[in-house]
mmCIF file of all heavy atoms in Angstrom:
data_model
loop_
_atom_site.group_PDB
_atom_site.id
_atom_site.type_symbol
_atom_site.label_atom_id
_atom_site.label_comp_id
_atom_site.label_asym_id
_atom_site.label_seq_id
_atom_site.Cartn_x
_atom_site.Cartn_y
_atom_site.Cartn_z
ATOM 1 N N ILE A 1 0.846 -1.194 0.000
ATOM 2 C CA ILE A 1 0.000 0.000 0.000
ATOM 3 C C ILE A 1 0.876 1.236 0.000
ATOM 4 O O ILE A 1 0.677 2.169 -0.785
ATOM 5 C CB ILE A 1 -0.933 -0.007 1.226
ATOM 6 C CG1 ILE A 1 -1.995 -1.101 1.069
ATOM 7 C CG2 ILE A 1 -1.594 1.356 1.420
ATOM 8 C CD1 ILE A 1 -2.888 -1.268 2.277
ATOM 9 N N ASP A 2 1.896 1.253 0.865
ATOM 10 C CA ASP A 2 2.835 2.362 0.922
ATOM 11 C C ASP A 2 4.165 1.841 1.452
ATOM 12 O O ASP A 2 4.336 1.691 2.668
ATOM 13 C CB ASP A 2 2.296 3.471 1.826
ATOM 14 C CG ASP A 2 3.233 4.673 1.899
ATOM 15 O OD1 ASP A 2 4.301 4.628 1.264
ATOM 16 O OD2 ASP A 2 2.898 5.638 2.605
ATOM 17 N N PRO A 3 5.121 1.541 0.562
ATOM 18 C CA PRO A 3 6.399 0.963 1.005
ATOM 19 C C PRO A 3 7.189 1.876 1.926
ATOM 20 O O PRO A 3 8.083 1.409 2.636
ATOM 21 C CB PRO A 3 7.154 0.737 -0.311
ATOM 22 C CG PRO A 3 6.126 0.789 -1.379
ATOM 23 C CD PRO A 3 5.036 1.693 -0.898
ATOM 24 N N THR A 4 6.898 3.170 1.915
ATOM 25 C CA THR A 4 7.656 4.117 2.738
ATOM 26 C C THR A 4 6.933 4.484 4.031
ATOM 27 O O THR A 4 7.392 5.345 4.781
ATOM 28 C CB THR A 4 7.923 5.411 1.947
ATOM 29 O OG1 THR A 4 6.670 6.059 1.654
ATOM 30 C CG2 THR A 4 8.637 5.103 0.639
ATOM 31 N N TRP A 5 5.821 3.827 4.300
ATOM 32 C CA TRP A 5 4.995 4.184 5.457
ATOM 33 C C TRP A 5 5.757 3.981 6.762
ATOM 34 O O TRP A 5 6.441 2.966 6.951
ATOM 35 C CB TRP A 5 3.729 3.339 5.464
ATOM 36 C CG TRP A 5 2.740 3.715 6.527
ATOM 37 C CD1 TRP A 5 1.897 4.778 6.512
ATOM 38 C CD2 TRP A 5 2.462 3.014 7.746
ATOM 39 N NE1 TRP A 5 1.113 4.781 7.642
ATOM 40 C CE2 TRP A 5 1.441 3.721 8.416
ATOM 41 C CE3 TRP A 5 2.977 1.857 8.333
ATOM 42 C CZ2 TRP A 5 0.923 3.314 9.644
ATOM 43 C CZ3 TRP A 5 2.467 1.453 9.558
ATOM 44 C CH2 TRP A 5 1.453 2.181 10.208
ATOM 45 N N GLN A 6 5.621 4.910 7.645
ATOM 46 C CA GLN A 6 6.211 4.805 8.977
ATOM 47 C C GLN A 6 5.093 4.709 10.008
ATOM 48 O O GLN A 6 4.185 5.550 10.023
ATOM 49 C CB GLN A 6 7.074 6.032 9.279
ATOM 50 C CG GLN A 6 8.304 6.151 8.389
ATOM 51 C CD GLN A 6 9.297 5.027 8.643
ATOM 52 O OE1 GLN A 6 9.525 4.636 9.795
ATOM 53 N NE2 GLN A 6 9.897 4.512 7.584
ATOM 54 N N PRO A 7 5.122 3.697 10.865
ATOM 55 C CA PRO A 7 4.047 3.542 11.852
ATOM 56 C C PRO A 7 4.036 4.693 12.837
ATOM 57 O O PRO A 7 5.080 5.275 13.143
ATOM 58 C CB PRO A 7 4.380 2.219 12.544
ATOM 59 C CG PRO A 7 5.844 2.025 12.319
ATOM 60 C CD PRO A 7 6.138 2.643 10.987
ATOM 61 N N PRO A 8 2.857 5.043 13.340
ATOM 62 C CA PRO A 8 2.776 6.109 14.339
ATOM 63 C C PRO A 8 3.440 5.669 15.637
ATOM 64 O O PRO A 8 3.574 4.473 15.901
ATOM 65 C CB PRO A 8 1.274 6.307 14.532
ATOM 66 C CG PRO A 8 0.668 5.003 14.128
ATOM 67 C CD PRO A 8 1.544 4.463 13.039
ATOM 68 N N PRO A 9 3.865 6.614 16.442
ATOM 69 C CA PRO A 9 4.495 6.243 17.720
ATOM 70 C C PRO A 9 3.527 5.497 18.623
ATOM 71 O O PRO A 9 2.323 5.702 18.578
ATOM 72 C CB PRO A 9 4.890 7.594 18.327
ATOM 73 C CG PRO A 9 4.005 8.593 17.657
ATOM 74 C CD PRO A 9 3.768 8.070 16.271
ATOM 75 N N CYS A 10 4.085 4.611 19.419
ATOM 76 C CA CYS A 10 3.281 3.790 20.325
ATOM 77 C C CYS A 10 3.807 4.002 21.741
ATOM 78 O O CYS A 10 4.279 3.081 22.396
ATOM 79 C CB CYS A 10 3.368 2.325 19.914
ATOM 80 S SG CYS A 10 2.334 1.195 20.843
ATOM 81 N N ASP A 11 3.721 5.227 22.197
ATOM 82 C CA ASP A 11 4.342 5.588 23.471
ATOM 83 C C ASP A 11 3.470 5.259 24.676
ATOM 84 O O ASP A 11 3.961 4.928 25.741
ATOM 85 C CB ASP A 11 4.671 7.080 23.486
ATOM 86 C CG ASP A 11 5.668 7.444 22.400
ATOM 87 O OD1 ASP A 11 6.496 6.578 22.071
ATOM 88 O OD2 ASP A 11 5.601 8.570 21.886
ATOM 89 N N GLY A 12 2.158 5.415 24.511
ATOM 90 C CA GLY A 12 1.275 5.189 25.639
ATOM 91 C C GLY A 12 1.491 6.183 26.764
ATOM 92 O O GLY A 12 1.343 5.835 27.937
ATOM 93 N N ASP A 13 1.839 7.411 26.406
ATOM 94 C CA ASP A 13 2.143 8.388 27.457
ATOM 95 C C ASP A 13 1.200 9.581 27.445
ATOM 96 O O ASP A 13 1.502 10.628 28.002
ATOM 97 C CB ASP A 13 3.588 8.879 27.304
ATOM 98 C CG ASP A 13 3.840 9.536 25.940
ATOM 99 O OD1 ASP A 13 2.911 9.539 25.106
ATOM 100 O OD2 ASP A 13 4.965 10.023 25.726
ATOM 101 N N LYS A 14 0.044 9.431 26.797
ATOM 102 C CA LYS A 14 -0.911 10.529 26.771
ATOM 103 C C LYS A 14 -1.564 10.689 28.150
ATOM 104 O O LYS A 14 -1.690 9.727 28.917
ATOM 105 C CB LYS A 14 -1.990 10.264 25.717
ATOM 106 C CG LYS A 14 -1.453 10.146 24.279
ATOM 107 C CD LYS A 14 -0.907 11.467 23.793
ATOM 108 C CE LYS A 14 -0.562 11.417 22.310
ATOM 109 N NZ LYS A 14 0.443 10.420 21.973
ATOM 110 N N ALA A 15 -1.996 11.899 28.440
ATOM 111 C CA ALA A 15 -2.632 12.181 29.727
ATOM 112 C C ALA A 15 -3.971 11.472 29.834
ATOM 113 O O ALA A 15 -4.740 11.405 28.863
ATOM 114 C CB ALA A 15 -2.818 13.688 29.886
ATOM 115 N N THR A 16 -4.265 10.942 31.006
ATOM 116 C CA THR A 16 -5.541 10.273 31.236
ATOM 117 C C THR A 16 -6.673 11.302 31.208
ATOM 118 O O THR A 16 -6.580 12.364 31.822
ATOM 119 C CB THR A 16 -5.528 9.562 32.604
ATOM 120 O OG1 THR A 16 -4.497 8.579 32.599
ATOM 121 C CG2 THR A 16 -6.868 8.890 32.875
ATOM 122 N N LEU A 17 -7.737 10.960 30.496
ATOM 123 C CA LEU A 17 -8.898 11.845 30.408
ATOM 124 C C LEU A 17 -9.807 11.630 31.617
ATOM 125 O O LEU A 17 -9.809 10.546 32.217
ATOM 126 C CB LEU A 17 -9.644 11.586 29.104
ATOM 127 C CG LEU A 17 -8.818 11.877 27.840
ATOM 128 C CD1 LEU A 17 -9.531 11.380 26.593
ATOM 129 C CD2 LEU A 17 -8.516 13.363 27.732
ATOM 130 N N PRO A 18 -10.598 12.626 31.985
ATOM 131 C CA PRO A 18 -11.356 12.526 33.240
ATOM 132 C C PRO A 18 -12.487 11.516 33.231
ATOM 133 O O PRO A 18 -12.852 10.991 34.286
ATOM 134 C CB PRO A 18 -11.892 13.955 33.443
ATOM 135 C CG PRO A 18 -11.835 14.583 32.099
ATOM 136 C CD PRO A 18 -10.689 13.967 31.380
ATOM 137 N N ASN A 19 -13.066 11.215 32.055
ATOM 138 C CA ASN A 19 -14.209 10.295 32.029
ATOM 139 C C ASN A 19 -14.402 9.738 30.634
ATOM 140 O O ASN A 19 -13.719 10.143 29.675
ATOM 141 C CB ASN A 19 -15.489 11.012 32.507
ATOM 142 C CG ASN A 19 -15.707 12.318 31.762
ATOM 143 O OD1 ASN A 19 -15.693 12.361 30.540
ATOM 144 N ND2 ASN A 19 -15.890 13.407 32.508
ATOM 145 N N PHE A 20 -15.356 8.798 30.507
ATOM 146 C CA PHE A 20 -15.626 8.184 29.216
ATOM 147 C C PHE A 20 -16.177 9.181 28.194
ATOM 148 O O PHE A 20 -16.013 8.994 26.993
ATOM 149 C CB PHE A 20 -16.620 7.022 29.376
ATOM 150 C CG PHE A 20 -15.984 5.735 29.843
ATOM 151 C CD1 PHE A 20 -16.525 5.020 30.900
ATOM 152 C CD2 PHE A 20 -14.856 5.226 29.215
ATOM 153 C CE1 PHE A 20 -15.955 3.825 31.327
ATOM 154 C CE2 PHE A 20 -14.272 4.046 29.625
ATOM 155 C CZ PHE A 20 -14.826 3.338 30.693
ATOM 156 N N ILE A 21 -16.841 10.208 28.664
ATOM 157 C CA ILE A 21 -17.376 11.216 27.746
ATOM 158 C C ILE A 21 -16.240 11.834 26.926
ATOM 159 O O ILE A 21 -16.324 11.960 25.701
ATOM 160 C CB ILE A 21 -18.141 12.311 28.519
ATOM 161 C CG1 ILE A 21 -19.368 11.715 29.206
ATOM 162 C CG2 ILE A 21 -18.551 13.442 27.581
ATOM 163 C CD1 ILE A 21 -20.096 12.695 30.120
ATOM 164 N N ASP A 22 -15.161 12.180 27.609
ATOM 165 C CA ASP A 22 -14.024 12.772 26.920
ATOM 166 C C ASP A 22 -13.295 11.754 26.044
ATOM 167 O O ASP A 22 -12.762 12.098 24.986
ATOM 168 C CB ASP A 22 -13.058 13.387 27.941
ATOM 169 C CG ASP A 22 -13.669 14.565 28.671
ATOM 170 O OD1 ASP A 22 -14.305 15.407 28.023
ATOM 171 O OD2 ASP A 22 -13.531 14.627 29.906
ATOM 172 N N VAL A 23 -13.249 10.503 26.500
ATOM 173 C CA VAL A 23 -12.621 9.442 25.698
ATOM 174 C C VAL A 23 -13.360 9.283 24.378
ATOM 175 O O VAL A 23 -12.752 9.229 23.295
ATOM 176 C CB VAL A 23 -12.600 8.116 26.473
ATOM 177 C CG1 VAL A 23 -12.185 6.962 25.552
ATOM 178 C CG2 VAL A 23 -11.657 8.199 27.666
ATOM 179 N N VAL A 24 -14.686 9.201 24.443
ATOM 180 C CA VAL A 24 -15.483 9.034 23.225
ATOM 181 C C VAL A 24 -15.336 10.248 22.309
ATOM 182 O O VAL A 24 -15.197 10.122 21.086
ATOM 183 C CB VAL A 24 -16.963 8.804 23.577
ATOM 184 C CG1 VAL A 24 -17.827 8.803 22.315
ATOM 185 C CG2 VAL A 24 -17.120 7.482 24.324
ATOM 186 N N ALA A 25 -15.349 11.437 22.882
ATOM 187 C CA ALA A 25 -15.205 12.653 22.082
ATOM 188 C C ALA A 25 -13.882 12.661 21.317
ATOM 189 O O ALA A 25 -13.813 13.131 20.176
ATOM 190 C CB ALA A 25 -15.302 13.879 22.981
ATOM 191 N N LYS A 26 -12.838 12.118 21.938
ATOM 192 C CA LYS A 26 -11.533 12.085 21.290
ATOM 193 C C LYS A 26 -11.440 11.007 20.209
ATOM 194 O O LYS A 26 -10.895 11.243 19.123
ATOM 195 C CB LYS A 26 -10.434 11.850 22.336
ATOM 196 C CG LYS A 26 -9.042 11.734 21.738
ATOM 197 C CD LYS A 26 -7.996 11.455 22.805
ATOM 198 C CE LYS A 26 -6.625 11.258 22.149
ATOM 199 N NZ LYS A 26 -5.564 10.956 23.147
ATOM 200 N N VAL A 27 -11.975 9.813 20.488
ATOM 201 C CA VAL A 27 -11.744 8.662 19.622
ATOM 202 C C VAL A 27 -12.790 8.525 18.520
ATOM 203 O O VAL A 27 -12.479 8.111 17.392
ATOM 204 C CB VAL A 27 -11.684 7.366 20.461
ATOM 205 C CG1 VAL A 27 -11.460 6.153 19.559
ATOM 206 C CG2 VAL A 27 -10.600 7.462 21.513
ATOM 207 N N LYS A 28 -14.036 8.846 18.798
ATOM 208 C CA LYS A 28 -15.136 8.573 17.864
ATOM 209 C C LYS A 28 -14.896 9.115 16.452
ATOM 210 O O LYS A 28 -15.232 8.435 15.466
ATOM 211 C CB LYS A 28 -16.442 9.111 18.435
ATOM 212 C CG LYS A 28 -17.679 8.769 17.610
ATOM 213 C CD LYS A 28 -18.938 9.165 18.373
ATOM 214 C CE LYS A 28 -20.195 8.932 17.542
ATOM 215 N NZ LYS A 28 -20.342 9.961 16.481
ATOM 216 N N PRO A 29 -14.317 10.316 16.262
ATOM 217 C CA PRO A 29 -14.070 10.781 14.890
ATOM 218 C C PRO A 29 -13.145 9.877 14.072
ATOM 219 O O PRO A 29 -13.148 9.940 12.836
ATOM 220 C CB PRO A 29 -13.434 12.166 15.102
ATOM 221 C CG PRO A 29 -13.948 12.612 16.435
ATOM 222 C CD PRO A 29 -13.992 11.362 17.258
ATOM 223 N N SER A 30 -12.363 9.029 14.748
ATOM 224 C CA SER A 30 -11.435 8.133 14.054
ATOM 225 C C SER A 30 -12.033 6.760 13.769
ATOM 226 O O SER A 30 -11.386 5.926 13.131
ATOM 227 C CB SER A 30 -10.163 7.946 14.894
ATOM 228 O OG SER A 30 -9.561 9.181 15.194
ATOM 229 N N VAL A 31 -13.249 6.506 14.263
ATOM 230 C CA VAL A 31 -13.888 5.198 14.104
ATOM 231 C C VAL A 31 -14.817 5.229 12.896
ATOM 232 O O VAL A 31 -15.555 6.197 12.702
ATOM 233 C CB VAL A 31 -14.661 4.798 15.372
ATOM 234 C CG1 VAL A 31 -15.274 3.410 15.217
ATOM 235 C CG2 VAL A 31 -13.730 4.845 16.590
ATOM 236 N N VAL A 32 -14.792 4.166 12.097
ATOM 237 C CA VAL A 32 -15.594 4.121 10.875
ATOM 238 C C VAL A 32 -16.502 2.897 10.878
ATOM 239 O O VAL A 32 -16.245 1.906 11.565
ATOM 240 C CB VAL A 32 -14.697 4.078 9.614
ATOM 241 C CG1 VAL A 32 -13.736 5.263 9.598
ATOM 242 C CG2 VAL A 32 -13.933 2.756 9.512
ATOM 243 N N THR A 33 -17.563 3.008 10.105
ATOM 244 C CA THR A 33 -18.435 1.861 9.824
ATOM 245 C C THR A 33 -18.003 1.249 8.499
ATOM 246 O O THR A 33 -17.744 1.972 7.529
ATOM 247 C CB THR A 33 -19.897 2.300 9.729
ATOM 248 O OG1 THR A 33 -20.335 2.726 11.023
ATOM 249 C CG2 THR A 33 -20.793 1.174 9.248
ATOM 250 N N ILE A 34 -17.910 -0.065 8.465
ATOM 251 C CA ILE A 34 -17.538 -0.781 7.241
ATOM 252 C C ILE A 34 -18.724 -1.622 6.801
ATOM 253 O O ILE A 34 -19.191 -2.489 7.541
ATOM 254 C CB ILE A 34 -16.303 -1.664 7.465
ATOM 255 C CG1 ILE A 34 -15.111 -0.796 7.896
ATOM 256 C CG2 ILE A 34 -15.964 -2.447 6.203
ATOM 257 C CD1 ILE A 34 -13.843 -1.565 8.169
ATOM 258 N N GLN A 35 -19.218 -1.355 5.595
ATOM 259 C CA GLN A 35 -20.377 -2.060 5.062
ATOM 260 C C GLN A 35 -19.963 -2.928 3.878
ATOM 261 O O GLN A 35 -19.246 -2.465 2.993
ATOM 262 C CB GLN A 35 -21.456 -1.057 4.642
ATOM 263 C CG GLN A 35 -21.989 -0.204 5.791
ATOM 264 C CD GLN A 35 -22.918 0.905 5.331
ATOM 265 O OE1 GLN A 35 -22.788 1.415 4.229
ATOM 266 N NE2 GLN A 35 -23.849 1.283 6.190
ATOM 267 N N THR A 36 -20.405 -4.183 3.885
ATOM 268 C CA THR A 36 -20.182 -5.093 2.768
ATOM 269 C C THR A 36 -21.501 -5.742 2.394
ATOM 270 O O THR A 36 -22.512 -5.551 3.077
ATOM 271 C CB THR A 36 -19.166 -6.196 3.126
ATOM 272 O OG1 THR A 36 -19.780 -7.121 4.053
ATOM 273 C CG2 THR A 36 -17.911 -5.615 3.769
#
């Protein structure tokens, strides 16, 4: 797909969010539905 692709960092050092509401707000835009 892309021979020059570099994987994103996997540091696991992001600040903890206060609740699930903030977690969903951050992650949901990156989640997709796949239909077949």
Side-chain angles (χ1 to χ4, degrees):
I1 290 175
D2 181 359
T4 64
W5 186 77
Q6 294 294 320
C10 185
D11 298 329
D13 59 356
K14 299 293 188 300
T16 299
L17 298 170
N19 51 52
F20 279 131
I21 296 174
D22 294 316
V23 170
V24 173
K26 177 182 176 181
V27 179
K28 185 171 176 285
S30 304
V31 182
V32 304
T33 292
I34 300 179
Q35 298 172 330
T36 72

